[in-house]
Amino acid sequence: MSLTKLISAVVGDKRRWCAYRARAEKLPEKYRSAVAAIERYLLYFVPVDDDRAVAMFEDLADLFERGALEGTSIRDIVGSEPIEFLELFARNYTKGGFVPDDERARVLRALTPEDESASSLPKKALRRNRWVEYLIADRHSLPLSIALHLVPGALVVAAYALLAEPFVKAIRYPAFLAWASALVLVLAPLQVCLLRLGHAVNGRLSIRGVVHYLDRPLSRGKALATIAGLIVWMTTVSLALTPLDNLVFTKLFSWLPFEGVGGSATTYLNGYSHSTLLITMLVCLPLTGFSLPLIEELYFRGFLLPRISHLRWGAPVLNTVLFSVYHFWAPWTVLSKIVFLFPAVWLVWRRHDIRLSIGMHVGTALLMSGAGTIALILGVIP
Amino acid sequence: MNRQFTEMLKGVLEGVVLALLSVQPAYGYEITSSLRELGFADIAEGTVYALLIRIEQRGLADVETVPSDKGPPRKVYSLSQEGRAHLEEFWRMWSFLSTRLSELRLKEKQT
């Protein structure tokens, strides 16, 4: 049975239910995800009557809103035995319920966040410096968020101009390789930063608590279907909007000094030998086709997006726009990027499942660079 | 905290909360902190909250909503007439239990 069906069967009063949902969505991330997990768990119980069914969730929201205000940790709210708390809580409103083992395990996982079990050690908390606190806070201020979105892009251009381009030109390889190298030079340290923040939070190498939307709330089938849809959308729309990119390029950006800018995806490969191109593609495939988009998703969707979610729908809009602008090395593609990226960003924000945008971004990148490499091997591209 | 103690606590927690409310009306957060001061360090805020809702539902406490300087209004719980009777009953059972247990212990020492 789908969750929405279950809700309408279990929760009679839709207006009160929606009011509860809106309150739950407004909570800071760690409280929000705890409430979401508990909500899912409680739906396995049979309510005494319609009124109690909704009252249960309203009281749940009360409890966590107060907790968020006082800054109480999840651990202090649900205790060391969260299941016992949940059973006690549910008994006030329901005739009992049967919760499958895997659901029990799931709620336990969600209610014992690694970041909290570690941060309850006072030593750990003391060792964190102010910047780490700013970065891993539930919210980023608008200026901070804008800077965190855009600075990596500026660094990529700097890394390209200062290091990658001179080097790649010296070994006579196409600019494409230089851009990939510049991205690696910036995104690999960025990933290390995420892991270090994760270490500060968890006391071990993990990105939980730093990167959000990792709880996989969607079923595997639903996630895969959504990803497939998004890949089709991104591929068709990005191809369809190539004329727009070209127009913007010739009108505004033809002055850019980079080698092989603009035009189709293959222009900057022209003029190199087949073996050079093949080596370039093979070197770049695991990077531009996999790791780089993955890091971008973890950083932009997992780390930055949830920390501006207090802007409500403004969060996915701002994140899409800023992420598109972040591609300073291809400013003529910003408009089309906004269009083909937005559905994925919106869905991640709405469904709290980062697999959607990772699937789309990595999937499309693999598809494109895989197809390019195969075409090159087969000699379709001369 | 060990398992046995947790189990014991579960049995008397409601009585303890009623006893705290009989001293003075309080809201959930205050009850939790009083319990922690009493030595129930591991008590979860949610557990106390669920218990207070239960106490309210059974008419053992009256609830008054008072505005809060921080955030939404708070529910302040005070013991009702019925709650007082319930608390007395709890203490009766408690003294019965503790007398019997002390007697048992005395016998154990004598043998």
Side-chain angles (χ1 to χ4, degrees):
Chain A
M1 178 158 37
S2 80
L3 212 59
T4 34
K5 241 189 190 166
L6 195 70
I7 290 163
S8 54
V10 171
V11 181
D13 195 330
K14 195 150 184 251
R15 195 180 45 83
R16 280 170 71 194
W17 169 261
C18 291
Y20 148 73
R21 279 291 343 143
R23 289 169 67 196
E25 281 303 312
K26 267 192 235 146
L27 288 166
E29 176 54 27
K30 68 173 179 181
Y31 299 96
R32 190 204 60 73
S33 62
V35 167
I38 294 175
E39 173 190 308
R40 189 182 163 112
Y41 185 86
L42 290 175
L43 286 171
Y44 283 91
F45 288 78
V46 182
V48 178
D49 55 43
D50 281 1
D51 172 62
R52 291 270 178 101
V54 201
M56 172 159 75
F57 294 103
E58 289 168 340
D59 287 350
L60 180 68
D62 279 345
L63 175 64
F64 278 84
E65 274 174 357
R66 179 55 60 190
L69 271 174
E70 308 280 353
T72 318
S73 68
I74 302 294
R75 166 72 173 66
D76 281 345
I77 297 178
V78 301
S80 53
E81 304 280 345
I83 297 294
E84 294 206 351
F85 153 66
L86 289 173
E87 298 287 326
L88 184 75
F89 182 76
R91 207 160 56 188
N92 289 334
Y93 316 88
T94 67
K95 300 183 235 177
F98 174 77
V99 185
D101 278 347
D102 54 330
E103 287 296 323
R104 204 180 302 266
R106 187 186 195 123
V107 79
L108 272 177
R109 260 200 318 275
L111 293 181
T112 34
E114 289 152 38
D115 53 331
E116 287 205 338
S117 50
S119 67
S120 58
L121 302 169
K123 259 191 215 157
K124 276 265 146 47
L126 282 178
R127 253 198 291 150
R128 287 183 190 167
N129 68 35
R130 208 155 50 104
W131 270 105
V132 173
E133 293 295 341
Y134 273 134
L135 290 174
I136 59 176
D138 285 325
R139 284 181 187 187
H140 286 159
S141 68
L142 202 56
L144 176 65
S145 190
I146 293 174
L148 289 173
H149 275 88
L150 298 182
V151 167
L155 291 176
V156 169
V157 175
Y160 175 84
L162 298 175
L163 298 166
E165 196 192 28
F167 174 73
V168 170
K169 264 192 178 163
I171 59 167
R172 297 180 166 279
Y173 269 76
F176 185 66
L177 184 67
W179 283 117
S181 320
L183 278 159
V184 171
L185 284 173
V186 174
L187 292 183
L190 201 64
Q191 179 63 29
V192 172
C193 287
L194 287 182
L195 283 165
R196 290 201 56 159
L197 286 177
H199 195 270
V201 168
N202 301 308
R204 60 187 186 78
L205 226 52
S206 159
I207 48 170
R208 283 222 168 244
V210 175
V211 174
H212 292 304
Y213 303 147
L214 297 174
D215 289 330
R216 295 185 241 169
L218 291 181
S219 70
R220 188 176 292 176
K222 212 168 184 181
L224 281 175
T226 314
I227 290 170
L230 287 170
I231 289 179
V232 172
W233 166 267
M234 178 164 166
T235 317
T236 40
V237 173
S238 63
L239 288 177
L241 290 181
T242 310
L244 173 72
D245 291 346
N246 291 339
L247 184 72
V248 177
F249 178 74
T250 44
K251 287 264 184 267
L252 291 171
F253 294 106
S254 48
W255 52 271
L256 281 170
F258 312 133
E259 184 194 335
V261 289
S264 83
T266 51
T267 39
Y268 50 88
L269 297 175
N270 291 346
Y272 293 93
S273 76
H274 188 265
S275 61
T276 308
L277 288 181
L278 194 59
I279 293 171
T280 305
M281 292 303 269
L282 288 176
V283 170
C284 291
L285 187 62
L287 301 170
T288 53
F290 185 79
S291 345
L292 297 174
L294 179 65
I295 298 173
E296 283 183 342
E297 287 311 312
L298 293 176
Y299 179 75
F300 286 96
R301 252 59 71 187
F303 176 64
L304 296 181
L305 177 61
R307 287 178 171 79
I308 49 169
S309 61
H310 54 280
L311 304 173
R312 302 182 63 91
W313 57 265
V317 172
L318 190 69
N319 181 270
T320 310
V321 172
L322 290 176
F323 177 63
S324 304
V325 175
Y326 141 90
H327 295 82
F328 286 124
W329 55 92
W332 61 94
T333 62
V334 168
L335 280 179
S336 63
K337 279 199 170 71
I338 292 174
V339 178
F340 67 71
L341 289 172
F342 184 70
V345 181
W346 188 81
L347 278 167
V348 172
W349 166 77
R350 188 90 197 121
R351 300 271 172 227
H352 303 292
D353 199 327
I354 198 173
R355 289 178 301 170
L356 301 179
S357 64
I358 291 182
M360 178 189 86
H361 198 166
V362 175
T364 318
L366 262 182
L367 216 67
M368 297 268 189
S369 27
T373 312
I374 292 169
L376 199 65
I377 293 171
L378 296 178
V380 181
I381 307 173
Chain B
M1 204 171 296
N2 80 42
R3 189 84 214 154
Q4 193 178 27
F5 182 76
T6 319
E7 289 299 317
M8 281 186 190
L9 180 62
K10 236 195 279 176
V12 297
L13 193 56
E14 187 184 86
V16 177
V17 170
L18 289 177
L20 284 172
L21 289 181
S22 78
V23 181
Q24 60 173 11
Y27 56 87
Y29 186 71
E30 289 176 322
I31 300 277
T32 315
S33 0
S34 316
L35 284 168
R36 288 195 178 136
E37 274 165 36
L38 277 173
F40 305 117
D42 209 31
I43 197 87
E45 209 164 301
T47 304
V48 176
Y49 180 72
L51 207 65
L52 284 170
I53 287 171
R54 199 172 157 72
I55 286 171
E56 178 191 354
Q57 284 175 353
R58 289 162 64 206
L60 304 181
D62 297 320
V63 176
E64 199 189 341
T65 314
V66 294
S68 153
D69 51 328
K70 197 161 111 182
R74 285 183 156 128
K75 278 175 162 185
V76 173
Y77 295 81
S78 56
L79 214 55
S80 70
Q81 212 51 42
E82 219 170 309
R84 274 181 209 292
H86 204 83
L87 179 60
E88 263 167 49
E89 180 63 21
F90 169 77
W91 284 131
R92 251 200 307 283
M93 287 189 287
W94 176 256
S95 27
F96 172 79
L97 199 64
S98 70
T99 335
R100 289 303 149 91
L101 287 180
S102 324
E103 283 170 17
L104 189 65
R105 188 143 192 229
L106 212 62
K107 262 186 221 159
E108 185 192 279
K109 275 184 184 159
Q110 282 163 354
T111 53

